[in-house]
Amino acid sequence: MKIVFTTKGKTWESPMDARFGRAEMFLVYDEETDTLEAIDNSATEAMEHGVGGQSSKKMINAGANVVITGNGAGEKALKILKTTKIEFFTGAGEMSVKEAYEAYKQNRLQKQF
Amino acid sequence: MREIVVISGKGGTGKTSLSASFAYLAKQEAVVCDCDVDAANMHLLLDANFKKQSDFYSGEIAVIDPEICTNCGDCFDVCRFDAITKETDFHVVDPISCEGCHYCSRICPVDAIEMVTQKAGDVFVSDIKNGATMVHAKLGFGAENSGKLVSKVKRVAKELALKEDKEYVITDGSPGIGCPVISSLSGANLVVLVTEATVSGLHDLKRVYELTKTFNLKVVCIINKCDLNWEITKKIREYLNSQNVQLLASLGYDENFTKAVSVAKPIVEFDENCEISKQIKLSWNNIKNILKEN
Amino acid sequence: MKITIASGKGGTGKTTVSSNLTSYLASLGKKVVLADLDVEEPNSALFLNAELVDSKISNKMIPKWDATDCTLCGKCEEVCNFNAILHLPEEIRVFPELCHSCYACSELCPTDSLPMTPSQIGIINEYQNELFTMVEGRLDLGQEMSIPLIAQTIEYVDEKFPDYMKIYDAPPGTSCPVIESSRYSDFVILITEATPFGLNDLTLAVETMRVLNQKIGVIINRYGIGDDGVENYCHDENIPIITKIKNDREVAKLYSNGELIYDKIEHFKDSLDEIIAFIGGLK
């Protein structure tokens, strides 16, 4: 299983980024290999429109099974991700990555779809 | 650090006056952020001093180099925005009509067309009258009011708030329901919807509330000029009830409100003991409590 | 004659003035049509007690993916400067709301897999009451591009009412939508208040109109509150002040109910007379 967190850093202690489309970074946790991989997303800051789609594409290319974020996906991200099998969880915007992972394991996050 | 975003859908509801009042009450606990970049004016109420300025670049337009142009007309043929006209020896681009789509520059056989990034506005960081810091911006002429400048203003404000360890970011959101509002709302911990007791106030409240719902945001509401039309106030309250939105305050129509604006002061500074000021103070305390609970 | 009524920001009384002015002109026997170009928040119809007589779907052209010959080469995503096309591992996705209809993806596609097709962005509604016709553009929720709809609403009015006087109620602000609503008009009326707020917004609006080379005049609304800032500014900049509408709570009340004002409040009607005299003098 690959779990992607929207974050502001590269470690388990980093704070989550509440935003999905304009998240600073995506941190991909591969449960099988127990490894963390960071995907930079800061380029979206310079984009005017369409970040939701671009970020969704990154999820698909990263092979994500689960996405964990704060506020939830916007309309464009929804349109893309809903057609995939990716599960999307919200409510972790104020946590660290580690806390967000624990909250997910304990079913304390809201499932958006 | 918690972010409060004040929005209203339509203009003229008193959104900026209320945001400025909250900012004034928060004193140095907050960084203030004006995301109404298309017609920014919160800085007037808070005596911003425009201490630091930086340029904001966004969007591109095509520029044809007349020296290189062979006048073949390919660019003219592909442009869907009527932005290209033929002169005697070369073609030119009308910057107002150009959408920046790059089509002409991609297909020009002699590479005579360059896409040039436009300065689209200014971002300012200012000291304001209660000793706090404010981030605001001015959108340049004809620039597209996308969420990009709004995002930038918000990012600068949040970085400042984190660096200076402030409790709150108070954001005066953009009007409407389009891209800039969505950017204003991004990452908000609490949204304050300001509406007024008019037919259009209710109409726009519903539209903008629908928008906040898609982002799962915690929302409270303030009705301004509630005694202008009690029937509509009643309808607004019923609507809020049906949506489980907490009503923070119903403010009466008060000449003090306009008088305060006309001397460029937040109402809570202009007359801190008037009924409206009292209610705004209560609302601010409520907001702080709600943020503590969550 | 085409007149745009605009203001630096919302809530200054644009809709109040434009709807009352149109109604009053019509009652005087003038052939006049009102167009609400605030397509994100069209409100004029709320004030006019009018009946819907005609509607037209407003479309823009967007690419539609045809998988048949597509090789998923990704050229379309590469040439789209608006992130409206997403090249996914197994498909091409189009975001219609981001598309500017530049045709680049469609025409540069090596396999013709993105033909342009019409897609609804909003609706143009034509209303009528006893006195006159009002046309509004109404953008569908979730659509972000208002310019094509504003242009089509103007076109609709031009085609259907060629020999009428046209009054455009512009969207607030100084960005693209206001420009689209003003650039083809003969004259732009800017509405403001005599407050530091109003002056700030007016200055921005004037700068915009000057770049467009538009002729302008100012209406001061809610006159009586505030200071001399706006009047001094207009004087220094040589901008005519067309009228000053008195600050009056009754006006606000009537507005809150969506009622017309000039038939109930004399000073408001006097202001409209001043506007009409001014417009007449323009010819």
Side-chain angles (χ1 to χ4, degrees):
Chain A
M1 250 266 283
K2 280 191 177 175
I3 302 169
V4 181
F5 301 89
T6 59
T7 71
K8 294 177 178 170
K10 296 178 178 177
T11 68
W12 286 108
E13 281 69 43
S14 304
M16 293 284 288
D17 193 326
R19 305 166 300 174
F20 172 69
R22 288 186 195 272
E24 284 176 28
M25 192 167 284
F26 296 117
L27 203 54
V28 187
Y29 176 54
D30 189 335
E31 285 187 316
E32 269 94 82
T33 58
D34 192 25
T35 49
L36 277 181
E37 187 200 344
I39 303 171
D40 182 52
N41 195 44
S42 56
T44 53
E45 202 70 62
M47 280 169 62
E48 299 187 32
H49 301 287
V51 287
Q54 293 294 330
S55 295
S56 302
K57 184 173 168 178
K58 285 183 183 145
M59 296 300 102
I60 294 170
N61 289 340
N65 304 100
V66 170
V67 176
I68 296 176
T69 183
N71 291 337
E75 250 178 83
K76 288 171 209 95
L78 274 177
K79 274 188 203 158
I80 297 288
L81 293 173
K82 273 197 167 168
T83 61
T84 68
K85 287 184 179 144
I86 296 173
E87 293 185 284
F88 205 92
F89 292 88
T90 61
E94 303 284 315
M95 303 176 183
S96 70
V97 179
K98 199 175 175 182
E99 287 162 352
Y101 182 60
E102 280 161 11
Y104 161 70
K105 282 289 174 194
Q106 293 160 8
N107 278 325
R108 283 190 282 121
L109 299 177
Q110 293 100 35
K111 187 172 174 186
Q112 195 180 359
F113 54 84
Chain B
M1 186 262 297
R2 317 292 252 159
E3 189 188 4
I4 302 138
V5 179
V6 185
I7 56 169
S8 72
K10 88 182 273 294
T13 58
K15 169 177 71 71
T16 302
S17 300
L18 282 169
S19 313
S21 288
F22 293 149
Y24 188 77
L25 292 171
K27 303 208 176 69
Q28 289 166 39
E29 284 184 322
V31 169
V32 185
C33 173
D34 188 355
C35 287
D36 192 350
V37 296
D38 198 0
N41 51 23
M42 189 156 70
H43 60 274
L44 296 169
L45 292 178
L46 296 170
D47 274 351
N49 65 354
F50 294 76
K51 197 167 71 178
K52 270 197 276 180
Q53 181 274 348
S54 54
D55 289 343
F56 170 75
Y57 288 90
S58 173
E60 294 163 302
I61 55 161
V63 178
I64 300 176
D65 187 336
E67 300 287 317
I68 306 175
C69 178
T70 59
N71 226 11
C72 71
D74 284 1
C75 52
F76 177 86
D77 291 340
V78 299
C79 180
R80 288 298 191 299
F81 309 104
D82 298 331
I84 297 180
T85 46
K86 188 179 185 316
E87 301 281 316
T88 329
D89 299 318
F90 51 87
H91 282 66
V92 286
V93 179
D94 167 19
I96 294 177
S97 299
C98 177
E99 289 269 317
C101 75
H102 285 226
Y103 196 174
C104 58
S105 77
R106 276 181 221 288
I107 56 97
C108 174
V110 291
D111 280 337
I113 306 177
E114 193 188 350
M115 299 305 296
V116 179
T117 309
Q118 298 280 94
K119 182 181 168 189
D122 302 277
V123 177
F124 303 101
V125 178
S126 295
D127 302 322
I128 52 174
K129 58 170 81 160
N130 60 358
T133 308
M134 172 172 179
V135 185
H136 49 125
K138 184 186 169 198
L139 192 72
F141 156 77
E144 186 191 1
N145 188 6
S146 69
K148 201 172 147 192
L149 181 53
V150 171
S151 300
K152 165 109 193 222
V153 169
K154 275 182 65 130
R155 192 177 77 233
V156 174
K158 281 185 166 173
E159 277 167 8
L160 274 173
L162 283 174
K163 204 171 88 189
E164 294 170 12
D165 205 20
K166 302 287 187 194
E167 288 284 313
Y168 310 105
V169 171
I170 298 173
T171 299
D172 185 13
S174 320
I177 52 162
C179 187
V181 204
I182 295 173
S183 296
S184 313
L185 288 171
S186 149
N189 298 97
L190 182 70
V191 179
V192 182
L193 293 179
V194 181
T195 186
E196 59 175 22
T198 64
V199 179
S200 48
L202 173 61
H203 174 254
D204 295 350
L205 170 73
K206 288 181 181 169
R207 274 168 75 99
V208 80
Y209 175 68
E210 285 301 318
L211 191 69
T212 62
K213 275 212 302 207
T214 53
F215 290 99
N216 268 324
L217 297 165
K218 168 94 183 144
V219 175
V220 295
C221 181
I222 292 177
I223 308 176
N224 198 6
K225 307 175 203 166
C226 65
D227 50 357
L228 208 52
N229 194 320
W230 284 111
E231 216 164 290
I232 293 175
T233 296
K234 198 173 144 226
K235 278 190 197 154
I236 295 176
R237 287 181 179 158
E238 282 165 4
Y239 175 72
L240 295 173
N241 256 331
S242 71
Q243 302 293 322
N244 270 322
V245 174
Q246 185 185 343
L247 178 61
L248 276 188
S250 302
L251 308 177
Y253 186 96
D254 187 335
E255 290 293 326
N256 271 335
F257 211 90
T258 11
K259 277 187 196 147
V261 172
S262 59
V263 293
K265 283 183 176 169
I267 176 93
V268 290
E269 179 192 15
F270 179 72
D271 182 357
E272 63 170 331
N273 293 317
C274 73
E275 184 53 32
I276 290 201
S277 292
K278 283 182 195 158
Q279 289 210 48
I280 293 176
K281 282 183 204 165
L282 276 177
S283 300
W284 174 240
N285 286 331
N286 264 328
I287 289 172
K288 289 201 281 190
N289 287 331
I290 292 169
L291 285 173
K292 262 182 219 146
E293 284 162 22
N294 279 276
Chain C
M1 173 179 249
K2 297 170 188 171
I3 294 172
T4 297
I5 301 192
S7 69
K9 75 178 292 156
T12 57
K14 251 184 305 96
T15 303
T16 313
V17 170
S18 55
S19 54
N20 277 279
L21 178 63
T22 314
S23 185
Y24 185 43
L25 278 166
S27 75
L28 299 174
K30 178 101 187 158
K31 279 166 93 175
V32 61
V33 55
L34 172 65
D36 189 345
L37 302 180
D38 190 0
V39 298
E40 268 193 48
E41 311 272 350
N43 275 332
S44 297
L46 295 171
F47 296 88
L48 296 171
N49 230 338
E51 199 182 320
L52 185 68
V53 291
D54 203 357
S55 281
K56 187 182 164 193
I57 303 252
S58 161
N59 291 317
K60 69 171 184 187
M61 298 302 282
I62 58 156
K64 192 169 179 235
W65 185 50
D66 175 357
T68 326
D69 298 323
C70 177
T71 60
L72 292 167
C73 71
K75 177 90 177 168
C76 47
E77 186 186 87
E78 184 197 317
V79 301
C80 178
N81 203 38
F82 306 108
N83 301 305
I85 293 194
L86 210 53
H87 169 216
L88 293 171
E90 287 166 23
E91 60 173 324
I92 302 295
R93 289 292 287 265
V94 177
F95 292 106
E97 63 274 39
L98 295 180
C99 175
H100 286 232
S101 309
C102 77
Y103 286 64
C105 61
S106 182
E107 294 175 359
L108 296 175
C109 171
T111 53
D112 291 332
S113 299
L114 284 163
M116 297 300 280
T117 48
S119 157
Q120 178 170 344
I121 53 168
I123 189 159
I124 297 170
N125 289 320
E126 181 182 333
Y127 297 89
Q128 193 148 26
N129 64 16
E130 324 69 89
L131 286 170
F132 68 98
T133 301
M134 198 278 284
V135 177
E136 67 167 21
R138 183 173 286 269
L139 201 64
D140 289 347
L141 210 62
Q143 291 291 337
E144 289 174 8
M145 220 129 355
S146 56
I147 304 296
L149 179 52
I150 292 173
Q152 286 173 31
T153 309
I154 291 175
E155 204 179 279
Y156 180 98
V157 172
D158 275 348
E159 275 171 17
K160 220 162 165 177
F161 305 94
D163 53 343
Y164 279 56
M165 176 175 179
K166 287 143 196 124
I167 294 178
Y168 301 140
D169 185 0
T174 53
S175 52
C176 306
V178 190
I179 290 169
E180 189 66 26
S181 310
S182 311
R183 56 196 289 198
Y184 306 112
S185 293
D186 301 302
F187 195 81
V188 178
I189 295 177
L190 299 170
I191 303 193
T192 188
E193 295 173 5
T195 63
F197 261 32
L199 177 57
N200 179 59
D201 300 336
L202 177 65
T203 316
L204 296 174
V206 168
E207 283 171 25
T208 305
M209 294 308 153
R210 293 234 157 114
V211 180
L212 288 177
N213 257 329
Q214 270 297 0
K215 280 181 268 178
I216 50 175
V218 164
I219 292 177
I220 301 178
N221 197 8
R222 303 198 188 102
Y223 186 70
I225 57 165
D227 52 25
D228 306 333
V230 168
E231 280 183 80
N232 291 339
Y233 170 79
C234 290
H235 184 258
D236 292 346
E237 295 288 323
N238 244 326
I239 301 164
I241 295 174
I242 302 167
T243 186
K244 300 166 188 169
I245 300 172
K246 283 195 196 107
N247 185 40
D248 183 344
R249 193 174 165 177
E250 285 308 308
V251 171
K253 267 197 165 162
L254 290 168
Y255 167 82
S256 80
N257 247 335
E259 284 182 56
L260 282 173
I261 294 156
Y262 71 91
D263 52 349
K264 300 172 193 83
I265 292 179
E266 199 58 32
H267 71 77
F268 190 87
K269 188 172 154 195
D270 293 343
S271 281
L272 292 186
D273 279 324
E274 284 179 16
I275 300 172
I276 292 168
F278 186 88
I279 301 170
L282 274 176
K283 277 179 197 163

